[in-house]
Amino acid sequence: MFNAVEISKDIYWVGVIEWNERYIHGFSMPEGSTNNAYIIKDEKTVLVDTCVDGYSDELIARISDVVEISSIDYIISNHSEKDHAGALGKILELAPNATIVTSDPKGLRILQRYYGEDLRFHPVKTGDELDIGKRTLSFVLTPMVHWPDNMVTYSKHDKILFSNDAFGQFFATSKRFDDEVDDRRLFEYAKKYFANIILPYTRQTAKALDTLDGIGIDLIAPSHGVVWRSHVSRIMDLYRTWCDNEPTDSAVVIYSTIYGSTARMATAITEAFMKCNVAVRLYDLDISDISDIMVDCMDAKYIAIGSPTHNATVLPPMGQFLAYFKGLAPKNRIGIPFGSYGWAQSAQNEIASVFSEKGYSMPLDNCVCDWNEDGADAQSLYDAIIEMIEDNG
Ligand code: FEO
């Protein structure tokens, strides 16, 4: 029932489709996700990555569609996060003679912590090769894309890069290739994935892209989403652009509100950007998704974040957003903290300290109003934002 799909001669997708998963660590996946794994049939049988433990039955069934699991010689663990290594224990019970290929030393350490030190490990570093018959697989360590242990596996024979988290997209689909799905959604999901997974590690990702430059890639087989075959250059170029961390002339305004004062301030800020022809998006955290917002933050030159002061801090939705934003925030932006307060500006100071921690400039240092915002406050804020845009244009 669970079929494998041949993506290149003797190389099969054997992953799992998480049709009904919707969230992973704050990242919303409105159309689910996939955890991809691959079988390479050569003189040796190789499994590239596994999946989350809860989907191991599906993985085992798909592998069994093309090989006897007990015949697996090598399991390449490109990344030990549990969405790729969670089913490793169950696979090893069925393939007791398999050797685990993992990065040296980070992947080795993590997998030994998960599964014990008595397993057969083959730790590898960048440039190491593994002869499996017609093919020689080579490895490139790509630390922090997305964990310290990450690596990618390359088959020169097939010109396939098994890229693990890099070039992934979170969406479940019955199709396996980039040219079989809607282009617009594909690239939106790829960008959302970058903004929410890769963005803090652009320096390391750029370095990995440099290492892979010119090796010759016909297929990129990531561990999430579809296989890239028709848009290999385009997605690699986009990754280079996104790694540059250059903002566009755009703004994003994000707020929480209780009685509407901070909302009116947010609207005034938004209107000021519109007046100056700066593309802007406005998000109320009560109804918006934080992982969608991060996509706009990735592009924005100006990031305005506002909350009223409530119990000497920000409102709960803003607290959640700030925690998420702090971990992912793009570098070198202009921050605009704002909001209303009654008797202490705690919320705005808290937002400003996040901007400060991230090294953002804050040309406007007092975007607050006490008690109830009236039209005059909004007008002053609108004027101040326009002046700031003109000064920073
Ligand atoms: Fe898809 Fe970092 O795991």
Side-chain angles (χ1 to χ4, degrees):
M1 180 172 83
F2 289 105
N3 300 308
V5 178
E6 190 169 35
I7 62 164
S8 184
K9 183 160 173 45
D10 292 332
I11 299 184
Y12 298 84
W13 171 87
V14 291
V16 302
I17 307 177
E18 300 171 333
W19 293 104
N20 292 304
E21 301 294 338
R22 289 293 178 267
Y23 285 96
I24 180 167
H25 49 59
F27 190 140
S28 70
M29 308 181 296
E31 292 190 67
S33 181
T34 70
N35 287 165
N36 299 333
Y38 303 93
I39 284 284
I40 306 171
K41 280 170 75 172
D42 206 314
E43 287 169 29
K44 301 289 184 187
T45 300
V46 178
L47 172 64
V48 181
D49 289 319
T50 67
C51 67
V52 285
D53 188 34
Y55 284 78
S56 49
D57 287 349
E58 182 176 332
L59 174 68
I60 289 164
R62 288 199 205 278
I63 295 171
S64 304
D65 189 39
V66 279
V67 293
E68 287 289 335
I69 294 200
S70 58
S71 73
I72 293 174
D73 298 291
Y74 293 104
I75 302 171
I76 295 175
S77 175
N78 280 322
H79 180 23
S80 47
E81 189 168 359
K82 290 196 174 177
D83 51 343
H84 310 295
L88 189 54
K90 288 204 175 122
I91 298 295
L92 283 167
E93 285 172 15
L94 301 169
N97 298 319
T99 296
I100 304 161
V101 181
T102 182
S103 63
D104 184 12
K106 305 286 186 181
L108 178 63
R109 180 173 175 275
I110 298 169
L111 292 180
Q112 285 180 333
R113 286 283 294 162
Y114 287 170
Y115 296 111
E117 298 185 6
D118 297 335
L119 302 174
R120 197 175 293 123
F121 286 105
H122 179 72
V124 293
K125 293 184 183 295
T126 293
D128 285 354
E129 294 183 335
L130 182 68
D131 184 351
I132 60 167
K134 287 197 297 285
R135 296 171 177 81
T136 299
L137 303 178
S138 55
F139 306 96
V140 176
L141 270 53
T142 54
M144 302 317 297
V145 193
H146 148 243
W147 275 10
D149 67 299
N150 273 79
M151 67 177 195
V152 297
T153 301
Y154 178 65
S155 171
K156 188 174 181 183
H157 179 87
D158 314 281
K159 294 192 175 171
I160 295 183
L161 181 72
F162 298 95
S163 63
N164 194 266
D165 274 345
F167 309 111
Q169 334 93 45
F170 280 151
F171 75 117
T173 165
S174 58
K175 302 297 184 183
R176 303 276 65 86
F177 289 101
D178 57 352
D179 48 27
E180 297 176 323
V181 296
D182 177 69
D183 246 28
R184 188 179 60 81
R185 278 158 70 227
L186 170 66
F187 284 97
E188 277 179 7
Y189 283 133
K191 186 172 183 181
K192 181 175 177 179
Y193 182 94
F194 189 98
N196 286 273
I197 303 279
I198 309 287
L199 187 58
Y201 312 115
T202 49
R203 185 175 54 79
Q204 296 91 335
T205 305
K207 195 172 164 197
L209 289 169
D210 286 346
T211 309
L212 298 172
D213 202 28
I215 63 171
I217 298 173
D218 286 346
L219 290 185
I220 299 176
S223 289
H224 298 291
V226 292
V227 172
W228 300 93
R229 70 176 173 193
S230 292
H231 301 296
V232 169
S233 311
R234 186 172 165 195
I235 190 61
M236 291 190 85
D237 287 347
L238 281 170
Y239 260 56
R240 284 191 190 92
T241 302
W242 294 335
C243 283
D244 286 344
N245 187 44
E246 284 296 327
T248 59
D249 190 26
S250 64
V252 58
V253 182
I254 306 136
Y255 72 95
S256 267
T257 197
I258 306 174
Y259 297 116
S261 293
T262 300
R264 287 190 289 276
M265 297 174 77
T267 301
I269 294 169
T270 304
E271 289 290 326
F273 281 117
M274 290 168 62
K275 174 71 177 170
C276 295
N277 287 323
V278 174
V280 59
R281 296 278 312 178
L282 173 66
Y283 289 104
D284 175 353
L285 286 176
D286 278 351
I287 54 168
S288 305
D289 178 87
I290 58 175
S291 53
D292 285 336
I293 294 173
M294 281 315 303
V295 181
D296 286 315
C297 287
M298 182 170 116
D299 286 338
K301 175 178 176 182
Y302 304 94
I303 300 177
I305 299 180
S307 170
T309 296
H310 174 253
N311 293 335
T313 184
V314 295
L315 285 176
M318 180 56 72
Q320 182 202 25
F321 176 73
L322 287 179
Y324 197 67
F325 178 80
K326 268 202 290 190
L328 295 168
K331 298 179 182 67
N332 303 323
R333 301 302 197 255
I334 295 173
I336 304 163
F338 68 96
S340 60
Y341 69 96
W343 55 96
Q345 298 180 19
S346 310
Q348 298 77 39
N349 293 341
E350 210 168 310
I351 295 163
S353 80
V354 171
F355 286 147
S356 204
E357 191 183 307
K358 293 292 162 191
Y360 287 16
S361 64
M362 285 178 276
L364 296 180
D365 57 7
N366 204 25
C367 299
V368 293
C369 76
D370 61 338
W371 300 109
N372 196 41
E373 182 282 322
D374 58 21
D377 289 322
Q379 184 64 47
S380 304
L381 182 56
Y382 173 87
D383 293 341
I385 296 288
I386 288 177
E387 195 175 327
M388 181 208 68
I389 297 165
E390 287 169 353
D391 288 348
N392 288 278

